Amino acid sequence: MRALRVVRAQLRASIATALQYRFEFAVEGALALLWMGVTLVPLIVVFGTRESVAGWTFPEMLVVLGWFVALKGILEGTLSPSLLQVIEHVRKGTLDFVLLKPADAQLLVSLSKIEPWRMIDVAGAAIILVVAFQHIGHPPAFADLLLAALLLCSAVLVLYSIAILVVSIAFVAVRVDNLLYLFQSVFDVARWPSSVFRGALAIIFTFVLPLALMTTYPSLALLGKLNLRTAVAAVAGTLLFAAVARGIWIVSIRRYTSASS
Amino acid sequence: MTRLLRLYPQLLRTGFAEAVAYRAEFLIWMFSTNMPLVMLAIWAAAARSGPVSGYSQEGFAAYYLATLLVRLMTGAWVVWEMTMEIRQGTLALRLLRPIHPLLQWSADNLAAIPMRGVVAIPVAAILLYVARSELSHDWFSWLLLFPALLGAWLLYFLVQAIIGTFALRFESAASLFDAWLGFSNILSGYLVPLDLFPRAVRSVAVVLPFRFQLSFPVELMLGRWSRGEALELLVAQWAYVLLFLGLARVAWRSGLRHYAAYGG
């Protein structure tokens, strides 16, 4: 439970830091709304011409987009800024101060910088989901809701593990901040359900870079279309992936020799 | 003027050397330009059951590959460089040099184009292979493509420069550019071909400068315009270029009076 206390203290400190800049909060919040609109436009235009695309109707596709907007907000609002800071620490040699602290270093760095205005994305995503289910005509069943929540947690865990893996590379090759940007831009693919892709791409986005796991599966769960076996396999895969990422983090931190020495 | 002609090639050489020095970062940045491909995925899926308002699957492939090509070839990043140098005070060094800072930056941004070609050439090859029949058959529109690309690059650069000068007065110039990008993504045809928009949106988009930054060169490659129309559009594009050039000069001069050289 000590770990939880560390996380809570860490969260409080980073939110307090971010809230000092109130003007930035307003500007960035407005921008988040603008970009959410930009994300919606192509989908609306596509479904102006078609009833369904790759087996998905408009409201179903909205559900996927809702998950995507929420996850993008989480990724770019918490994980990326924090881990970019780690890369900065590695470059300057100040990571030593983090490692000296009497708590797990991974916990300490994971939430060290937060952009709270990205929570507007999560709120917007909630609205998108509500609108989508209004179009569908009936709310999701309670069991489906639970399953979707579970899969959302595992989606965040996968994102987090990928970010930790990228940072582990920072210990070996210092200049990797744009590797994180590259991942952020690849993540844009997750706005479509995986059945949009065919052939090799479909396999890559399901197993190699598990984007299907992040938005398609939670959406299917919410729509009551995901069978339980896939869900269990997805969660088990996530846990395995997270364990591997943690292992690589530990190995690379052990090999870390600091920039200043 | 003659001094400039002597100095500018040297600036270009320096800029090119810099781009080569940071080649790994540079390539990663270019690879993260993948939005046209993301959009191609959904439209190709939509066109599986037949063409969508005149676009077949190959039609979409041609459109979005051409879009990717134009975006790769006309990149600029001067707004971020300006905001950083203004905030850190290193702009003072640039002001001391005997060449207008905007010209120095333009050389940096232009000199990266050969490096951009390294990524752009494979894209062009794929475009030729996948969607040859969708491309323009008229040599005249390929001839116009060069001034159109230069105009598109200039527009993109000048917009960034104008917004960058706001950093001389305010703090969030980069956010302002982010907002511009949001509108530009929609209205320049980057995410959705302009002719797929409803008539009302399209009639607004055709008069705004955004389309000249991207969809105009793309449409030239796809042979959408007759020779006369293409020439008219080129003139309109360059009229916008001149307008923005004037605006950039005014914005720079009046912004510089507010500049207090932090830390300098």
Side-chain angles (χ1 to χ4, degrees), chain A residues 23 27-28 31 34-35 37-38 41-43 45-46 49-50 53-54 61 175 178-179 181-182 185-186 188-189 191-192 195-198, chain B residues 25 28-29 31-32 34-35 38-39 41-43 45-46 48-53 172 175 178-179 181-183 185-186 191-192 196-197:
Chain A
F23 180 66
V27 171
E28 298 293 329
L31 277 176
L34 172 68
W35 278 99
V38 172
V41 167
L43 199 65
V45 178
V46 171
T49 63
R50 284 282 188 270
V53 173
M61 204 76 117
R175 288 291 321 234
N178 47 19
L179 214 54
Y181 287 121
L182 181 63
S185 80
V186 172
D188 276 328
V189 171
R191 72 181 62 203
W192 313 131
S195 67
V196 161
F197 300 96
R198 288 232 166 135
Chain B
E25 282 87 353
I28 291 181
W29 272 123
F31 283 130
S32 46
N34 63 353
M35 200 40 105
V38 173
M39 290 299 147
I42 189 80
W43 283 109
R48 265 177 216 164
S49 54
V52 181
S53 355
S172 38
S175 307
D178 208 22
L181 264 189
F183 286 105
N185 275 1
I186 300 294
L191 298 180
V192 177
L196 292 180
F197 278 118

Side-chain angles (χ1 to χ4, degrees), chain A residues 85-99:
Chain A
Q85 237 187 1
V86 182
I87 294 170
E88 194 62 16
H89 275 318
V90 173
R91 205 168 59 79
K92 287 188 187 160
T94 43
L95 188 70
D96 303 12
F97 302 124
V98 178
L99 294 175

Side-chain angles (χ1 to χ4, degrees), chain A residues 6-246:
Chain A
V6 171
V7 169
R8 216 176 53 207
Q10 199 67 23
L11 260 178
R12 211 172 43 220
S14 40
I15 289 179
T17 315
L19 285 182
Q20 288 174 11
Y21 307 99
R22 258 162 259 165
F23 180 66
E24 200 181 353
F25 188 97
V27 171
E28 298 293 329
L31 277 176
L33 283 179
L34 172 68
W35 278 99
M36 212 175 328
V38 172
T39 313
L40 276 168
V41 167
L43 199 65
I44 293 170
V45 178
V46 171
F47 280 94
T49 63
R50 284 282 188 270
E51 284 293 307
S52 81
V53 173
W56 294 69
T57 63
F58 179 58
E60 291 170 343
M61 204 76 117
L62 267 187
V63 174
V64 179
L65 200 73
W67 285 127
F68 168 74
V69 169
L71 282 175
K72 197 168 174 68
I74 292 172
L75 173 68
E76 291 177 6
T78 59
L79 299 179
S80 295
S82 302
L83 296 172
L84 278 176
Q85 237 187 1
V86 182
I87 294 170
E88 194 62 16
H89 275 318
V90 173
R91 205 168 59 79
K92 287 188 187 160
T94 43
L95 188 70
D96 303 12
F97 302 124
V98 178
L99 294 175
L100 280 174
K101 286 182 186 160
D104 185 82
Q106 192 181 340
L107 272 186
L108 283 180
V109 299
S110 294
L111 291 171
S112 60
K113 188 172 177 207
I114 284 180
E115 297 179 351
W117 50 83
R118 293 313 292 260
M119 287 303 111
I120 289 176
D121 280 332
V122 179
I127 294 173
I128 293 177
L129 287 178
V130 168
V131 170
F133 275 94
Q134 256 168 6
H135 272 274
I136 291 172
H138 59 84
F142 184 65
D144 293 339
L145 214 58
L146 279 183
L147 189 59
L150 178 68
L151 284 170
L152 176 66
C153 292
S154 69
V156 174
L157 192 57
V158 170
L159 268 184
Y160 172 66
S161 307
I162 291 178
I164 282 287
L165 281 178
V166 171
V167 173
S168 301
I169 301 174
F171 294 119
V172 189
V174 176
R175 288 291 321 234
V176 292
D177 46 346
N178 47 19
L179 214 54
L180 208 57
Y181 287 121
L182 181 63
F183 172 66
Q184 279 184 8
S185 80
V186 172
F187 182 69
D188 276 328
V189 171
R191 72 181 62 203
W192 313 131
S194 51
S195 67
V196 161
F197 300 96
R198 288 232 166 135
L201 281 180
I203 295 170
I204 290 173
F205 292 141
T206 308
F207 297 107
V208 184
L209 197 71
L211 295 176
L213 199 97
M214 294 181 202
T215 53
T216 311
Y217 290 174
S219 307
L220 285 173
L222 209 54
L223 296 166
K225 288 181 177 177
L226 189 71
N227 63 42
L228 214 55
R229 264 202 22 222
T230 317
V232 171
V235 173
T238 305
L239 292 176
L240 185 71
F241 190 59
V244 170
R246 168 80 177 160

